[in-house]
Amino acid sequence: MAKSNSQKSLVIVESPAKAKTINHYLGSDYEVKASMGHIRDLPAKGLNIDIENDFAPTYDIMPGKKAVVSQLKAAAKKCEKLYLATDLDREGEAIAWHLAQILGVPEDRTYRVIFNAITKTAIQEAFAEPGRVNLDKVMAQQARRVLDRIVGYEISPLLWKKVTRGLSAGRVQSVAVKIIVEREKEIREFKAEEYWLIPAVFTTDLDGNYHQPWLDFITPKTPDGKGPTVEEQGKWLAKHHAFEAELFKIGDAKFKASNQAEAQKVFQELEHAQFKITDIETKESVSRASPPFITSTLQQAAANRLGFTAKRTMAVAQQLYEGINLGSMGSLGLITYMRTDSTYVSGEALGEVRNYIQSHFGPKYLPEKPNFYADKKSAQQAHEAIHPTDVDLTPQEIRQHLSEEQFKLYDLIWRRFVACQMEPARWDVTTLSITTQTSVGLATYRASGRVLVFDGFNKVWPVSSTEQQLPPTQVGQPLAAVDIKSEQHFTKPPARYTEASLVKTLEREGIGRPSTYAPIISTIQDRGYVEQKDRKFYATDLGEVVTNKLSEYFPRIMDIAFTRQMEEQLDQIEDQHLDWVRVLKDFYGPFKVNLETALKQMAEATASEYTCPKCSRQLVYKFGKNERFLGCSGYPECKFTCPCDKEGKMVQDEISEHKCPKCSRQLVYKIGKSGRFLSCSAYPECKFASPCDKEGKMVQDEVSDHKCPNCGKPMVRKSSRFGAFLGCSDYPTCKTTLRLDKEGNPLPPKPKPESTGVRCYKCKEGELVIRKSKRGPFLGCNRFPRCRTIVNAKGLDRLKELQARGEWPPKTPEQTKAILDEFKSTKPVAAKK
C-alpha cells in the first residue's frame, strides 16, 4: 500500500475508555479504536479442537462482534501502520494476535506496543520502540484455552448423565471448589476439645478497689449482648493503672487444664493469693512495611479493609488503569497494570516516591536506600507492582473526580505504595512475669504490652493494634488482683474461607494466575457449587457431590500438586519455549483413560437406597437450589419429596404438636427457602402450610382492616422472603395479594403495561409493552416470562417508524443489534420475575 499524506496509523486497544485516554496522548497522525475485548474465540457449541491434528483449534468471530470487526477491517485498509496496544498479559497478547490474523495488515507494517501504565511518558516510549507479537505468549494462552475447553467439554456431559443436567466442570475451578469442600469436611468432622484458662486483671494501684467497677464495665448493656470493645477495655484499664495477664506456668511446667476439676484446683490457690512482679523484660521490635500490591494482595486487602469482592476490586482497578477524567488535567491512567504477580518497581517510580516522602514527611521517614522486596519464582519480572502512576496525585487532591469506590481503592493503592518505601515502625515491647507461691507450686502469670517509639510507615498505612499499654512497673512491686476467673474454652474448627483467604490459598498453592482469581471465585458461585453467607464460603450439596465424583475418577485433575505443575508448564511455554502441543499430549493421554473409565464405572449420583412411602417406587436424589433432596422416581404421578443430610441419608419430618386446621391431621416441620415452616403430613393431598417462629410455634395470620378488592373478604397479613404483604383470607379460592409499604399500608396495584403495537423481535409472536421499574420505563415482551426481551424505551418512536416501513422486526441478528445500538445510551432495566 502506497503511503499517502491522508493515511493515519491505526491503534487498537480493548476498551473505549482506554482508547479515549490513549487518544489524548497521540497526535492527529493516529486513529485509536477499541476491539471491545476478545473478537475471536472457540465457538460455544462443539469441541472445535482437532485432537488428532496436534490439538488445532477452530476459531470464529464471537457473537455480536461482526460489526466491530467490519469497522476495524475498514480502518485497517486505510492505515499506514497497525499498532496493537492491547494489555500486556497473555490475554492481551492473544487478542493482539487474533486481530493481526483477522485484519490481514502485512507483518512489516504491524507492530505490538505494550505499556505498564497509561501515561503520556509510557505511551510515547512504547510507540517510540514498538515490537512484534510475542508468539510464545500467544501459544501459552492458546494452550490454556484448549486445555480448559477439553476438560470442560469432555467432563460436563458426564456430570449431566451421572449427577444432574446443566452441570459443568473446569480445570482450575473444580480444584478451587475442592479446596472449599475439603474445608467443609474438616469442619464437619472436627471434634472440639475442652480446655480451661485462668486469666487475671492486675493493677499497680493497691489502694483502689476496682473489682466491682470492672465487672460492671464489662457486663453487656446493649440488646445485642455485646460488651465494650477491646479498645474501650484498654482505655479503662490504662485509666486504672491495670492490665490483663494469663497464667503461664505452674512450677516449671506450662499450665494446662482439660477439665473444670483441674482448673478449679489451681484457681482456689490463686483466688486470694498475693502477687508481685518478679521479672521485667523490654526489647525493641521492628515492624516493616508490606510490599507494594500485586493482584492477589490487592484483592485480599480490598476484601479485608473495604469489603470489596475480588470481581469488584478488579473492575474498579480497571477503571483506574484505563483512565479517569481529571478535569483540566484531562484523562489520566492513575495506576499501573493491575494483573501482575511481581513486586518490582521501576527506578523512576522509586525516585518519585522517595522525593515525595522526603518533602512531605521528612528525612527520618526515608530509608538510606530504596526498599526492595523478593518475588516468588513464578513472578513475571517484566511486569511492575501495582502503584500510582503519579504519586503526587494524592487521593484527597483528586477525590472530586472519583466515584466513592474509585477513591477508596486508589487511596488503598496509594498508601500501600508510599508506605512500602518508608522506614520501619519501632516498638518497645515489655513482658512482665508476675508470681505467687501456692501449694501446687510457683504460679507465674505473663503480661505483655508495647509502646510505639517511632511510627515509620504507620504514618501512611495505619495498622490497628490490640496490644495493651502497661503502667510503669519495677521488679518486686506488689500488685492487686482486680479480677481472677476460671474460664472454660473449646478448640475451634478451621475457619471457613473468605474471598481474601481463598485468594491467598489459591496463590500459595499455585492454582490459577493473577488474571484468573476473580473469575474463578465468580464461576464457582454461579455454578452453584459454593455459596457465600456472611462473607464466608460454604460448599453446597451439589459442590460436594460433584467434587467427590471428580476426585474419584479424575484424581490428576483434582490434585492440587498436578494443577500447580500444569500452571508451571503453561508458564514455561511462554518463558522457556516449551512445546505447547507436547504439554497437551502428555495431559490428554491419561485424561482420556480416566474419562473412559468414568463413563463405564461412575455410579449415578441420583440412585438412593430408599423407597417412596407413598407409592413404594424408588426414591432418587434431586437438586433444588444446589441442595440435595429425595424425590419419587414416579414424579409427576407421585410428588413425594423428603430432605436428606450431607451423607444422603433421609431426614424424617419432625412432628409438631399442631393439628392441620383443614383436615385435622398432624403438622410436621419442613425447611423452605424462607426457613422452617409447618406443613400438613398428608401433603400433597392436603396442601396446608403455615409459617412458624423460632420456637416452632405456629404463626397465626393477623386479620387486617382491609377487604379483598376482588371478593370483599378480609385480608390477612402474611410474610414471605420478600417481606410482609396482605393476602385474601379465602386463599386458595381467591389468590389476591397486596404489597405493603414500610409503614404497613397497602400499595396501589402496579399499572397494567401500556401497549405499543410494536412486535417483539425475538419471539415474533408477542408485542413490546411499556413497563415501569425503579429506574424508569422500559419495553418488554407481553409474553413474559416465556419471552424475556427488553429494549430501551428511548427507541420506541424509532421502532414504530421502522415497523411502519416493514423493516421491523429485522431479518438477521446483526441488523437487530445495529438498530438497538442506536439508542443504547443507557442500560435497559431487567424485568423482574
Side-chain angles (χ1 to χ4, degrees):
M1 188 185 293
K3 185 176 179 179
S4 165
N5 291 332
S6 64
Q7 286 181 323
K8 293 184 177 183
S9 292
L10 175 62
V11 181
I12 302 179
V13 297
E14 289 107 325
S15 72
K18 191 174 177 182
K20 182 179 178 181
T21 308
I22 291 176
N23 199 41
H24 178 67
Y25 300 122
L26 297 175
S28 58
D29 293 337
Y30 296 87
E31 180 182 13
V32 186
K33 288 189 172 292
S35 70
M36 311 300 290
H38 281 276
I39 48 112
R40 201 168 70 157
D41 195 9
L42 298 170
K45 292 184 178 179
L47 181 60
N48 294 293
I49 296 166
D50 190 348
I51 293 175
E52 303 301 325
N53 186 25
D54 288 343
F55 301 91
T58 299
Y59 293 113
D60 274 354
I61 303 297
M62 295 173 67
K65 289 296 182 74
K66 290 185 178 179
V68 174
V69 171
S70 296
Q71 293 171 9
L72 294 178
K73 281 185 175 180
K77 287 180 181 178
K78 299 181 293 183
C79 75
E80 178 187 353
K81 295 178 181 178
L82 173 63
Y83 291 93
L84 303 170
T86 49
D87 288 345
L88 56 105
D89 57 8
R90 287 185 192 135
E91 291 289 320
E93 205 72 26
I95 294 173
W97 179 75
H98 283 295
L99 285 166
Q101 296 290 306
I102 289 173
L103 300 182
V105 175
E107 190 175 335
D108 62 340
R109 291 194 289 110
T110 299
Y111 299 93
R112 175 79 168 109
V113 288
I114 57 174
F115 32 82
N116 192 54
I118 304 178
T119 62
K120 186 174 183 179
T121 302
I123 299 299
Q124 290 177 343
E125 288 178 355
F127 278 83
E129 297 184 13
R132 302 291 181 185
V133 173
N134 184 331
L135 288 180
D136 284 334
K137 194 177 279 191
V138 172
M139 291 303 106
Q141 192 278 339
Q142 179 168 275
R144 184 181 296 273
R145 185 73 185 92
V146 169
L147 189 60
D148 290 344
R149 169 56 68 92
I150 290 172
V151 172
Y153 191 82
E154 299 279 21
I155 295 182
S156 296
L158 177 70
L159 294 177
W160 281 44
K161 182 179 180 182
K162 303 293 186 178
V163 183
T164 190
R165 292 184 64 82
L167 299 183
S168 57
R171 179 183 61 86
V172 178
Q173 293 91 333
S174 295
V175 177
V177 174
K178 180 183 178 181
I179 290 172
I180 296 172
V181 167
E182 288 184 340
R183 177 58 55 88
E184 197 75 34
K185 290 178 180 177
E186 288 176 27
I187 294 171
R188 197 181 305 146
E189 294 168 2
F190 177 80
K191 299 256 189 313
E193 293 182 4
E194 182 183 8
Y195 68 96
W196 287 72
L197 299 176
I198 307 180
V201 175
F202 296 108
T203 179
T204 57
D205 184 358
L206 303 182
D207 297 325
N209 186 4
Y210 300 132
H211 176 67
Q212 193 57 47
W214 168 249
L215 294 182
D216 293 340
F217 175 74
I218 61 174
T219 301
K221 300 176 180 64
T222 56
D224 58 9
K226 293 182 179 179
T229 64
V230 173
E231 184 179 357
E232 290 168 341
Q233 290 182 44
K235 289 180 179 179
W236 191 98
L237 292 170
K239 180 181 177 181
H240 296 84
H241 313 287
F243 56 92
E244 294 178 301
E246 196 68 56
L247 181 60
F248 177 58
K249 287 194 306 184
I250 297 292
D252 294 328
K254 186 176 179 181
F255 170 71
K256 287 179 68 176
S258 57
N259 55 60
Q260 186 175 12
E262 292 176 3
Q264 195 67 19
K265 182 179 177 181
V266 176
F267 173 72
Q268 289 172 351
E269 293 289 327
L270 298 173
E271 195 172 9
H272 303 291
Q274 301 296 315
F275 297 90
K276 66 178 179 179
I277 297 173
T278 52
D279 186 48
I280 301 175
E281 182 183 358
T282 300
K283 58 182 179 180
E284 185 181 73
S285 172
V286 176
S287 176
R288 292 179 171 80
S290 298
F293 282 131
I294 59 177
T295 303
S296 59
T297 54
L298 175 63
Q299 291 173 354
Q300 292 167 48
N304 291 330
R305 291 188 172 229
L306 307 178
F308 285 11
T309 63
K311 185 176 181 180
R312 183 181 177 193
T313 298
M314 296 310 290
V316 178
Q318 184 90 30
Q319 297 165 9
L320 297 174
Y321 166 70
E322 291 184 342
I324 302 293
N325 189 338
L326 300 181
S328 59
M329 288 185 282
S331 187
L332 179 67
L334 293 179
I335 64 170
T336 53
Y337 192 56
M338 62 284 161
R339 293 184 180 91
T340 177
D341 53 4
S342 171
T343 58
Y344 168 74
V345 178
S346 68
E348 181 184 359
L350 283 175
E352 289 176 0
V353 70
R354 284 175 62 81
N355 287 338
Y356 183 90
I357 295 168
Q358 172 81 21
S359 59
H360 287 78
F361 302 112
K364 67 178 181 178
Y365 287 93
L366 183 68
E368 184 178 342
K369 296 179 181 179
N371 295 329
F372 294 102
Y373 299 90
D375 277 327
K376 57 182 182 178
K377 291 182 180 179
S378 61
Q380 300 181 59
Q381 298 301 321
H383 293 189
E384 275 198 66
I386 305 168
H387 63 78
T389 56
D390 184 352
V391 75
D392 289 318
L393 285 176
T394 64
Q396 288 296 339
E397 184 181 347
I398 60 173
R399 182 168 192 168
Q400 60 180 320
H401 303 292
L402 304 176
S403 69
E404 191 63 22
E405 286 182 330
Q406 291 168 345
F407 169 76
K408 286 181 178 179
L409 195 64
Y410 181 66
D411 183 68
L412 198 70
I413 294 168
W414 186 91
R415 289 179 182 279
R416 178 73 163 240
F417 179 58
V418 174
C420 83
Q421 291 303 318
M422 295 178 74
E423 282 281 3
R426 295 195 299 275
W427 306 77
D428 274 348
V429 180
T430 301
T431 303
L432 305 179
S433 292
I434 302 138
T435 61
T436 186
Q437 191 66 51
T438 72
S439 62
V440 293
L442 182 69
T444 303
Y445 272 87
R446 180 172 287 181
S448 64
R450 67 175 185 172
V451 178
L452 185 65
V453 177
F454 174 63
D455 54 0
F457 73 90
N458 279 354
K459 188 91 172 175
V460 175
W461 186 265
V463 178
S464 60
S465 173
T466 57
E467 296 268 357
Q468 61 184 338
Q469 186 174 345
L470 299 174
T473 55
Q474 57 187 10
V475 173
Q477 183 174 358
L479 298 174
V482 174
D483 187 32
I484 297 179
K485 55 188 174 182
S486 179
E487 289 183 342
Q488 183 187 35
H489 294 266
F490 292 92
T491 54
K492 294 181 179 180
R496 283 189 165 86
Y497 288 104
T498 61
E499 285 217 5
S501 61
L502 181 58
V503 167
K504 187 174 183 179
T505 301
L506 292 174
E507 182 189 29
R508 184 184 69 241
E509 298 292 351
I511 308 300
R513 286 296 178 260
S515 61
T516 63
Y517 298 142
I520 287 171
I521 291 173
S522 294
T523 300
I524 61 179
Q525 292 179 85
D526 293 343
R527 289 177 176 173
Y529 295 148
V530 304
E531 58 187 358
Q532 263 191 315
K533 298 175 187 175
D534 299 325
R535 296 177 64 186
K536 296 182 179 67
F537 284 114
Y538 290 74
T540 64
D541 288 345
L542 181 61
E544 291 201 31
V545 170
V546 170
T547 297
N548 291 339
K549 292 291 182 186
L550 293 180
S551 297
E552 182 179 358
Y553 288 95
F554 299 92
R556 289 214 313 167
I557 287 179
M558 299 297 285
D559 181 60
I560 291 176
F562 177 75
T563 305
R564 183 191 309 118
Q565 180 188 347
M566 285 302 305
E567 294 288 357
E568 291 169 354
Q569 287 186 314
L570 292 169
D571 289 342
Q572 289 169 9
I573 295 170
E574 176 182 342
D575 302 328
Q576 301 174 23
H577 313 292
L578 190 64
D579 182 1
W580 72 276
V581 174
R582 172 51 54 193
V583 171
L584 292 181
K585 284 183 177 179
D586 290 344
F587 168 83
Y588 190 74
F591 171 75
K592 186 178 180 181
V593 173
N594 290 339
L595 186 65
E596 291 170 350
T597 302
L599 284 168
K600 295 176 183 177
Q601 299 180 9
M602 184 185 286
E604 292 190 18
T606 56
S608 86
E609 62 188 65
Y610 302 104
T611 54
C612 177
K614 298 285 186 182
C615 67
S616 299
R617 280 177 281 202
Q618 195 74 24
L619 292 182
V620 294
Y621 292 108
K622 297 177 179 286
F623 288 92
K625 204 175 181 182
N626 314 323
E627 293 184 351
R628 271 201 305 180
F629 66 94
L630 286 161
C632 184
S633 57
Y635 180 88
E637 294 172 31
C638 177
K639 298 181 179 178
F640 174 81
T641 62
C642 175
C644 62
D645 61 19
K646 293 285 184 181
E647 284 73 39
K649 294 179 181 178
M650 181 187 289
V651 176
Q652 301 293 337
D653 288 329
E654 181 186 349
I655 299 174
S656 78
E657 61 186 34
H658 305 285
K659 298 284 187 179
C660 176
K662 297 282 186 183
C663 68
S664 299
R665 279 177 276 200
Q666 206 73 27
L667 294 181
V668 295
Y669 292 108
K670 290 184 178 291
I671 304 294
K673 293 178 180 178
S674 303
R676 203 161 64 140
F677 69 96
L678 286 162
S679 174
C680 183
S681 56
Y683 180 87
E685 296 169 30
C686 176
K687 297 182 179 179
F688 174 82
S690 168
C692 61
D693 60 21
K694 291 182 178 180
E695 284 72 41
K697 295 180 181 178
M698 184 188 296
V699 176
Q700 301 292 338
D701 289 332
E702 177 188 344
V703 180
S704 74
D705 297 331
H706 302 281
K707 301 294 182 183
C708 176
N710 289 329
C711 69
K713 293 185 179 177
M715 302 285 283
V716 294
R717 187 181 180 88
K718 295 178 177 288
S719 61
S720 73
R721 59 193 175 114
F722 301 109
F725 68 96
L726 292 179
C728 183
S729 57
D730 197 28
Y731 179 88
T733 305
C734 178
K735 298 182 179 180
T736 304
T737 61
L738 294 176
R739 296 175 300 140
L740 298 175
D741 61 19
K742 292 181 179 178
E743 284 72 39
N745 300 315
L747 292 167
K750 288 185 178 180
K752 291 184 178 180
E754 182 183 339
S755 174
T756 66
V758 178
R759 288 177 62 195
C760 175
Y761 70 88
K762 276 190 182 176
C763 68
K764 304 290 194 304
E765 298 176 18
E767 172 194 334
L768 296 181
V769 294
I770 300 175
R771 300 182 187 274
K772 292 185 178 179
S773 74
K774 292 179 181 179
R775 300 183 195 174
F778 66 95
L779 302 180
C781 184
N782 65 351
R783 295 181 68 244
F784 178 84
R786 290 188 178 182
C787 178
R788 298 175 178 265
T789 301
I790 359 177
V791 177
N792 196 313
K794 290 185 177 181
L796 179 56
D797 292 338
R798 172 72 169 146
L799 296 182
K800 287 182 176 180
E801 177 188 330
L802 290 170
Q803 184 165 284
R805 298 206 308 253
E807 298 175 12
W808 181 269
K811 295 181 180 179
T812 66
E814 288 75 18
Q815 291 173 334
T816 304
K817 185 178 185 304
I819 293 170
L820 296 180
D821 283 347
E822 293 177 18
F823 38 87
K824 210 174 183 180
S825 58
T826 58
K827 189 175 180 181
V829 180
K832 291 184 178 179
K833 294 183 181 180

